[in-house]
Protein backbone atom coordinates (compact mmCIF):
# COMPACT_ATOMS: atom_id res chain seq x y z
CA UNK A 1 0.00 0.00 0.00
CA UNK A 2 0.98 3.64 -0.37
CA UNK A 3 0.06 6.72 1.62
CA UNK A 4 -0.08 10.21 0.10
CA UNK A 5 0.17 13.16 2.49
CA UNK A 6 -1.78 16.37 2.02
CA UNK A 7 0.21 19.53 1.30
CA UNK A 8 -0.95 23.08 0.72
CA UNK A 9 1.30 22.95 -2.35
CA UNK A 10 -0.62 21.14 -5.10
CA UNK A 11 1.32 18.47 -6.99
CA UNK A 12 1.47 19.86 -10.55
CA UNK A 13 2.32 18.01 -13.73
CA UNK A 14 5.32 19.72 -15.32
CA UNK A 15 5.48 17.61 -18.47
CA UNK A 16 2.94 15.58 -20.40
CA UNK A 17 2.90 11.92 -19.44
CA UNK A 18 4.10 9.69 -22.27
CA UNK A 19 1.66 7.09 -23.51
CA UNK A 20 -1.91 6.70 -22.33
CA UNK A 21 -1.28 5.38 -18.83
CA UNK A 22 -1.49 8.67 -17.00
CA UNK A 23 0.56 9.98 -14.09
CA UNK A 24 -0.76 7.36 -11.63
CA UNK A 25 -0.77 3.91 -13.20
CA UNK A 26 -1.36 0.61 -11.43
CA UNK A 27 0.66 -1.88 -13.51
CA UNK A 28 -0.31 -5.38 -14.60
CA UNK A 29 0.46 -8.85 -13.25
CA UNK A 30 0.38 -8.53 -9.51
CA UNK A 31 -1.28 -10.18 -6.55
CA UNK A 32 -2.98 -9.07 -3.37
CA UNK A 33 -4.34 -5.61 -2.74
CA UNK A 34 -2.92 -2.29 -3.87
CA UNK A 35 -4.04 0.64 -1.74
CA UNK A 36 -3.41 4.32 -2.46
CA UNK A 37 -4.89 6.52 0.22
CA UNK A 38 -4.54 10.23 0.89
CA UNK A 39 -4.47 11.69 4.39
CA UNK A 40 -4.04 15.02 6.16
CA UNK A 41 -1.82 14.76 9.23
CA UNK A 42 -2.15 11.16 10.43
CA UNK A 43 -2.53 8.11 8.20
CA UNK A 44 -6.16 7.16 7.97
CA UNK A 45 -7.58 10.55 8.90
CA UNK A 46 -10.13 12.15 6.59
CA UNK A 47 -10.40 15.76 7.67
CA UNK A 48 -11.46 17.14 4.27
CA UNK A 49 -7.89 18.12 3.40
CA UNK A 50 -6.74 15.74 0.68
CA UNK A 51 -3.72 15.63 -1.65
CA UNK A 52 -4.32 16.88 -5.18
CA UNK A 53 -2.71 16.19 -8.55
CA UNK A 54 -3.09 19.05 -11.06
CA UNK A 55 -2.44 18.68 -14.80
CA UNK A 56 -0.79 22.09 -15.12
CA UNK A 57 -0.17 24.11 -18.27
CA UNK A 58 1.44 21.36 -20.35
CA UNK A 59 -0.40 20.25 -23.47
CA UNK A 60 -2.38 17.03 -23.25
CA UNK A 61 -0.96 13.95 -24.99
CA UNK A 62 -2.29 13.06 -28.41
CA UNK A 63 -4.33 10.12 -27.11
CA UNK A 64 -6.89 9.98 -24.32
CA UNK A 65 -5.18 9.97 -20.94
CA UNK A 66 -6.50 9.25 -17.48
CA UNK A 67 -4.79 10.84 -14.50
CA UNK A 68 -5.37 7.61 -12.55
CA UNK A 69 -5.58 4.31 -14.44
CA UNK A 70 -5.75 0.67 -13.41
CA UNK A 71 -4.19 -1.47 -16.11
CA UNK A 72 -3.75 -4.88 -14.56
CA UNK A 73 -5.10 -7.57 -12.28
CA UNK A 74 -4.40 -6.12 -8.86
CA UNK A 75 -7.24 -5.77 -6.39
CA UNK A 76 -7.14 -2.05 -5.82
CA UNK A 77 -8.44 0.57 -3.43
CA UNK A 78 -8.24 4.32 -4.06
CA UNK A 79 -9.30 6.71 -1.31
CA UNK A 80 -9.29 10.35 -0.29
CA UNK A 81 -7.40 12.23 -2.99
CA UNK A 82 -8.24 14.53 -5.89
CA UNK A 83 -7.19 15.07 -9.50
CA UNK A 84 -7.69 18.16 -11.66
CA UNK A 85 -7.60 17.88 -15.45
CA UNK A 86 -7.35 21.66 -15.87
CA UNK A 87 -9.96 21.44 -18.68
CA UNK A 88 -7.33 20.08 -21.09
CA UNK A 89 -8.48 18.16 -24.14
CA UNK A 90 -8.38 14.36 -23.66
CA UNK A 91 -7.35 14.57 -19.99
CA UNK A 92 -9.72 12.45 -17.89
CA UNK A 93 -9.84 11.67 -14.18
CA UNK A 94 -10.09 8.02 -13.11
CA UNK A 95 -10.16 4.94 -15.38
CA UNK A 96 -11.29 2.04 -13.22
CA UNK A 97 -12.38 -0.45 -15.87
CA UNK A 98 -9.81 -3.27 -15.75
CA UNK A 99 -11.96 -6.35 -16.30
CA UNK A 100 -10.13 -8.77 -14.05
CA UNK A 101 -9.81 -6.58 -10.99
CA UNK A 102 -11.90 -5.57 -8.02
CA UNK A 103 -11.52 -1.85 -7.49
CA UNK A 104 -12.99 0.26 -4.75
CA UNK A 105 -12.98 4.03 -5.05
CA UNK A 106 -13.86 5.90 -1.88
CA UNK A 107 -13.96 9.62 -1.24
CA UNK A 108 -12.03 10.66 -4.37
CA UNK A 109 -12.65 13.82 -6.41
CA UNK A 110 -12.26 14.59 -10.13
CA UNK A 111 -12.19 18.27 -11.05
CA UNK A 112 -12.24 20.05 -14.42
CA UNK A 113 -12.18 17.04 -16.72
CA UNK A 114 -14.15 19.19 -19.12
CA UNK A 115 -12.41 18.84 -22.48
CA UNK A 116 -14.49 17.42 -25.31
CA UNK A 117 -15.97 14.11 -24.13
CA UNK A 118 -13.85 14.01 -20.97
CA UNK A 119 -14.91 11.91 -17.97
CA UNK A 120 -14.32 12.35 -14.26
CA UNK A 121 -14.79 8.66 -13.38
CA UNK A 122 -14.90 5.91 -16.01
CA UNK A 123 -15.93 2.85 -14.05
CA UNK A 124 -16.63 -0.76 -14.90
CA UNK A 125 -17.42 -3.66 -12.57
CA UNK A 126 -16.61 -1.80 -9.36
CA UNK A 127 -18.23 -0.08 -6.42
CA UNK A 128 -17.48 3.57 -5.75
CA UNK A 129 -18.73 5.53 -2.78
CA UNK A 130 -18.72 9.14 -1.65
CA UNK A 131 -16.86 10.21 -4.79
CA UNK A 132 -17.42 13.57 -6.47
CA UNK A 133 -16.99 15.03 -9.96
CA UNK A 134 -16.95 18.78 -10.52
CA UNK A 135 -17.08 20.64 -13.84
CA UNK A 136 -16.59 17.55 -16.00
CA UNK A 137 -18.14 16.79 -19.38
CA UNK A 138 -19.39 13.49 -17.88
CA UNK A 139 -19.11 13.00 -14.14
CA UNK A 140 -19.51 9.21 -13.90
CA UNK A 141 -19.55 6.97 -16.98
CA UNK A 142 -20.70 3.59 -15.72
CA UNK A 143 -20.46 0.18 -17.31
CA UNK A 144 -20.73 -3.45 -16.27
CA UNK A 145 -22.58 -3.73 -12.95
CA UNK A 146 -20.91 -0.61 -11.57
CA UNK A 147 -22.31 0.75 -8.35
CA UNK A 148 -22.28 4.40 -7.26
CA UNK A 149 -23.26 5.03 -3.63
CA UNK A 150 -23.74 8.58 -2.34
CA UNK A 151 -21.69 10.00 -5.22
CA UNK A 152 -22.26 13.54 -6.45
CA UNK A 153 -21.66 15.72 -9.48
CA UNK A 154 -21.64 19.51 -9.65
CA UNK A 155 -21.79 21.52 -12.88
CA UNK A 156 -21.06 18.52 -15.09
CA UNK A 157 -22.69 18.61 -18.54
CA UNK A 158 -23.91 15.05 -17.82
CA UNK A 159 -23.79 13.90 -14.23
CA UNK A 160 -24.25 10.13 -14.45
CA UNK A 161 -24.27 8.08 -17.65
CA UNK A 162 -24.60 4.37 -18.41
CA UNK A 163 -23.21 2.93 -21.62
CA UNK A 164 -26.55 1.54 -22.74
CA UNK A 165 -25.72 -2.17 -22.60
CA UNK A 166 -25.02 -2.77 -18.93
CA UNK A 167 -26.90 -2.43 -15.64
CA UNK A 168 -25.15 -0.11 -13.20
CA UNK A 169 -26.85 0.90 -9.99
CA UNK A 170 -27.04 4.43 -8.59
CA UNK A 171 -27.98 4.77 -4.91
CA UNK A 172 -28.53 8.10 -3.13
CA UNK A 173 -26.57 9.97 -5.81
CA UNK A 174 -26.91 13.69 -6.55
CA UNK A 175 -26.46 15.50 -9.85
CA UNK A 176 -26.52 19.26 -9.36
CA UNK A 177 -26.27 21.84 -12.13
CA UNK A 178 -25.10 21.05 -15.63
CA UNK A 179 -27.47 19.99 -18.40
CA UNK A 180 -28.39 16.31 -17.85
CA UNK A 181 -28.49 14.73 -14.40
CA UNK A 182 -28.86 11.05 -15.30
CA UNK A 183 -28.52 9.70 -18.85
CA UNK A 184 -29.28 6.03 -18.47
CA UNK A 185 -30.66 3.14 -20.44
CA UNK A 186 -30.87 -0.65 -20.35
CA UNK A 187 -31.64 -1.97 -16.83
CA UNK A 188 -30.09 0.84 -14.81
CA UNK A 189 -31.22 0.80 -11.19
CA UNK A 190 -31.88 4.01 -9.25
CA UNK A 191 -32.67 4.37 -5.57
CA UNK A 192 -33.05 7.68 -3.76
CA UNK A 193 -31.26 9.75 -6.42
CA UNK A 194 -31.75 13.47 -7.05
CA UNK A 195 -31.22 15.70 -10.09
CA UNK A 196 -31.21 19.36 -9.11
CA UNK A 197 -31.14 22.42 -11.39
CA UNK A 198 -30.16 20.40 -14.48
Amino acid sequence: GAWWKYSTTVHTMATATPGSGGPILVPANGGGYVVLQGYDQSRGDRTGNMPKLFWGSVAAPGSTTYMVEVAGNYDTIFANFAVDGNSKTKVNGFDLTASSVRIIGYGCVANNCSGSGCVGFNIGNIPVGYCQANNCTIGFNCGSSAGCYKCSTYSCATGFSSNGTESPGFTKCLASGGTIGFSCSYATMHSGCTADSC
Side-chain angles (χ1 to χ4, degrees), residues 40-76:
D40 185 4
Q41 298 300 316
S42 301
R43 291 181 175 184
D45 66 14
R46 291 190 176 134
T47 65
N49 292 328
M50 61 177 64
K52 298 177 178 69
L53 179 64
F54 181 70
W55 187 264
S57 61
V58 297
S63 58
T64 298
T65 294
Y66 289 90
M67 296 186 75
V68 178
E69 183 170 3
V70 173
N73 59 359
Y74 285 99
D75 290 337
T76 306

Coordinates of all heavy atoms in Angstrom, one line a residue, residues 40-76:
D40 N -4.4 13.7 5.8 CA -4.0 15.0 6.2 C -2.8 15.0 7.0 O -1.7 15.2 6.6 CB -5.2 15.7 6.8 CG -5.0 17.2 7.2 OD1 -3.9 17.7 6.8 OD2 -5.9 17.8 7.8
Q41 N -3.0 14.7 8.3 CA -1.8 14.8 9.2 C -1.4 13.4 9.7 O -0.2 13.1 9.9 CB -2.1 15.7 10.4 CG -2.4 17.1 10.1 CD -1.2 17.7 9.4 OE1 0.0 17.6 9.8 NE2 -1.4 18.5 8.3
S42 N -2.4 12.5 9.9 CA -2.2 11.2 10.4 C -2.8 10.2 9.4 O -3.9 10.3 9.0 CB -2.8 11.0 11.8 OG -2.3 11.9 12.7
R43 N -2.0 9.1 9.1 CA -2.5 8.1 8.2 C -3.9 7.6 8.6 O -4.0 7.1 9.8 CB -1.5 7.0 8.1 CG -0.2 7.4 7.4 CD 0.7 6.2 7.3 NE 1.9 6.6 6.5 CZ 2.9 5.8 6.2 NH1 2.8 4.5 6.5 NH2 3.9 6.3 5.5
G44 N -4.8 7.6 7.7 CA -6.2 7.2 8.0 C -7.1 8.3 8.3 O -8.3 8.0 8.3
D45 N -6.6 9.5 8.6 CA -7.6 10.6 8.9 C -8.2 11.0 7.6 O -7.7 10.9 6.5 CB -6.9 11.7 9.7 CG -5.9 12.5 8.8 OD1 -5.8 12.3 7.6 OD2 -5.1 13.2 9.4
R46 N -9.4 11.6 7.7 CA -10.1 12.1 6.6 C -10.8 13.4 7.0 O -12.0 13.5 7.3 CB -11.2 11.2 6.1 CG -10.5 9.9 5.4 CD -11.5 9.1 4.7 NE -10.8 8.0 4.0 CZ -11.2 6.7 4.0 NH1 -12.3 6.4 4.7 NH2 -10.5 5.8 3.4
T47 N -10.0 14.5 7.1 CA -10.4 15.8 7.7 C -11.1 16.6 6.6 O -11.6 17.7 7.0 CB -9.2 16.5 8.2 OG1 -8.3 16.9 7.1 CG2 -8.4 15.7 9.3
G48 N -11.0 16.3 5.4 CA -11.5 17.1 4.3 C -10.3 17.7 3.5 O -10.4 18.1 2.3
N49 N -9.1 17.8 4.1 CA -7.9 18.1 3.4 C -7.3 16.9 2.7 O -7.0 15.9 3.4 CB -6.8 18.7 4.3 CG -7.2 20.0 4.9 OD1 -7.9 20.8 4.3 ND2 -6.8 20.3 6.1
M50 N -7.2 16.9 1.4 CA -6.7 15.7 0.7 C -5.7 16.2 -0.3 O -5.7 17.3 -0.9 CB -7.9 15.0 0.0 CG -8.6 15.8 -1.1 SD -9.9 14.8 -1.9 CE -11.0 14.4 -0.6
P51 N -4.7 15.3 -0.6 CA -3.7 15.6 -1.6 C -4.4 15.8 -3.0 O -5.4 15.1 -3.3 CB -2.7 14.5 -1.6 CG -3.5 13.4 -0.9 CD -4.5 14.0 0.0
K52 N -3.8 16.6 -3.9 CA -4.3 16.9 -5.2 C -3.2 16.8 -6.2 O -2.1 17.3 -6.0 CB -5.0 18.3 -5.2 CG -6.1 18.4 -4.3 CD -6.7 19.9 -4.3 CE -7.9 20.0 -3.4 NZ -7.5 19.9 -2.0
L53 N -3.6 16.2 -7.4 CA -2.7 16.2 -8.5 C -3.3 17.1 -9.6 O -4.5 16.8 -10.0 CB -2.5 14.8 -9.1 CG -1.7 14.6 -10.3 CD1 -0.2 15.0 -10.0 CD2 -1.7 13.1 -10.8
F54 N -2.6 18.1 -10.1 CA -3.1 19.0 -11.1 C -2.3 18.9 -12.4 O -1.1 18.8 -12.4 CB -2.9 20.4 -10.5 CG -3.4 21.6 -11.3 CD1 -4.7 21.8 -11.5 CD2 -2.5 22.4 -11.9 CE1 -5.2 22.8 -12.3 CE2 -2.9 23.5 -12.7 CZ -4.3 23.7 -12.9
W55 N -3.1 18.9 -13.5 CA -2.4 18.7 -14.8 C -1.5 19.8 -15.2 O -0.5 19.6 -15.8 CB -3.5 18.5 -15.9 CG -2.9 18.1 -17.2 CD1 -2.5 18.9 -18.2 CD2 -2.4 16.8 -17.6 NE1 -1.9 18.2 -19.3 CE2 -1.9 16.9 -18.9 CE3 -2.5 15.5 -16.9 CZ2 -1.4 15.7 -19.5 CZ3 -2.0 14.4 -17.6 CH2 -1.4 14.5 -18.9
G56 N -1.7 21.0 -14.8 CA -0.8 22.1 -15.1 C -1.0 22.6 -16.5 O -2.0 22.4 -17.2
S57 N 0.0 23.4 -17.0 CA -0.2 24.1 -18.3 C 0.3 23.3 -19.5 O 0.2 23.8 -20.6 CB 0.6 25.4 -18.2 OG 1.9 25.2 -18.0
V58 N 0.9 22.1 -19.2 CA 1.4 21.4 -20.4 C 0.3 20.9 -21.2 O -0.8 20.7 -20.8 CB 2.3 20.2 -19.9 CG1 3.5 20.6 -19.1 CG2 1.4 19.2 -19.0
A59 N 0.6 20.7 -22.5 CA -0.4 20.2 -23.5 C -0.7 18.8 -23.2 O 0.1 18.0 -22.7 CB 0.1 20.4 -24.9
A60 N -2.0 18.4 -23.4 CA -2.4 17.0 -23.3 C -1.7 16.1 -24.3 O -1.4 16.6 -25.4 CB -3.9 16.9 -23.4
P61 N -1.5 14.9 -24.0 CA -1.0 13.9 -25.0 C -1.9 13.8 -26.2 O -3.1 14.2 -26.1 CB -0.8 12.6 -24.2 CG -0.9 13.0 -22.8 CD -1.7 14.2 -22.7
G62 N -1.5 13.2 -27.2 CA -2.3 13.1 -28.4 C -3.4 12.1 -28.2 O -4.5 12.2 -28.8
S63 N -3.3 11.1 -27.3 CA -4.3 10.1 -27.1 C -5.0 10.4 -25.8 O -4.4 11.1 -24.9 CB -3.8 8.7 -27.2 OG -2.8 8.5 -26.2
T64 N -6.2 9.8 -25.6 CA -6.9 10.0 -24.3 C -6.1 9.5 -23.1 O -5.5 8.4 -23.2 CB -8.2 9.2 -24.4 OG1 -9.0 9.8 -25.4 CG2 -9.0 9.3 -23.1
T65 N -6.0 10.3 -22.1 CA -5.2 10.0 -20.9 C -6.0 10.1 -19.7 O -6.8 11.0 -19.6 CB -4.0 10.9 -20.8 OG1 -3.1 10.7 -21.9 CG2 -3.2 10.7 -19.5
Y66 N -5.9 9.2 -18.8 CA -6.5 9.3 -17.5 C -5.4 9.6 -16.5 O -4.3 9.1 -16.5 CB -7.2 7.9 -17.1 CG -8.4 7.6 -17.9 CD1 -8.3 7.0 -19.1 CD2 -9.6 8.1 -17.5 CE1 -9.5 6.7 -19.9 CE2 -10.8 7.8 -18.3 CZ -10.7 7.2 -19.4 OH -11.8 6.9 -20.2
M67 N -5.8 10.5 -15.5 CA -4.8 10.8 -14.5 C -4.5 9.7 -13.5 O -3.5 9.6 -12.9 CB -5.2 12.1 -13.8 CG -5.3 13.3 -14.7 SD -5.6 14.9 -13.9 CE -4.0 15.2 -13.2
V68 N -5.5 8.8 -13.3 CA -5.4 7.6 -12.6 C -5.9 6.5 -13.4 O -7.1 6.5 -13.8 CB -6.1 7.7 -11.2 CG1 -6.0 6.4 -10.4 CG2 -5.6 8.9 -10.4
E69 N -5.1 5.4 -13.6 CA -5.6 4.3 -14.4 C -5.1 3.0 -13.9 O -4.0 2.8 -13.5 CB -5.0 4.4 -15.9 CG -5.6 3.3 -16.8 CD -5.2 3.6 -18.2 OE1 -4.5 4.6 -18.6 OE2 -5.6 2.8 -19.1
V70 N -6.1 2.0 -13.8 CA -5.8 0.7 -13.4 C -5.6 -0.1 -14.7 O -6.5 -0.2 -15.5 CB -6.9 0.1 -12.5 CG1 -6.6 -1.4 -12.3 CG2 -6.9 0.8 -11.2
A71 N -4.5 -0.8 -14.8 CA -4.2 -1.5 -16.1 C -3.8 -2.9 -15.9 O -3.2 -3.5 -16.8 CB -3.1 -0.7 -16.8
G72 N -4.2 -3.5 -14.8 CA -3.8 -4.9 -14.6 C -4.7 -5.6 -13.7 O -5.9 -5.3 -13.6
N73 N -4.2 -6.7 -13.0 CA -5.1 -7.6 -12.3 C -4.9 -7.5 -10.8 O -5.1 -8.4 -10.0 CB -4.9 -9.0 -12.7 CG -3.5 -9.5 -12.6 OD1 -2.6 -8.8 -12.2 ND2 -3.3 -10.8 -12.9
Y74 N -4.4 -6.3 -10.3 CA -4.4 -6.1 -8.9 C -5.8 -5.9 -8.3 O -6.6 -5.3 -9.0 CB -3.6 -4.9 -8.5 CG -2.1 -5.0 -8.6 CD1 -1.4 -4.6 -9.7 CD2 -1.4 -5.6 -7.6 CE1 0.0 -4.7 -9.8 CE2 0.0 -5.7 -7.6 CZ 0.7 -5.2 -8.8 OH 2.0 -5.3 -8.8
D75 N -6.1 -6.3 -7.1 CA -7.2 -5.8 -6.4 C -6.8 -4.4 -5.8 O -5.8 -4.3 -5.1 CB -7.7 -6.7 -5.3 CG -8.3 -8.0 -5.8 OD1 -8.7 -8.0 -7.0 OD2 -8.2 -9.0 -5.1
T76 N -7.6 -3.4 -6.0 CA -7.1 -2.1 -5.8 C -8.1 -1.2 -5.1 O -9.3 -1.3 -5.3 CB -6.9 -1.4 -7.2 OG1 -6.0 -2.2 -7.9 CG2 -6.2 0.0 -7.0

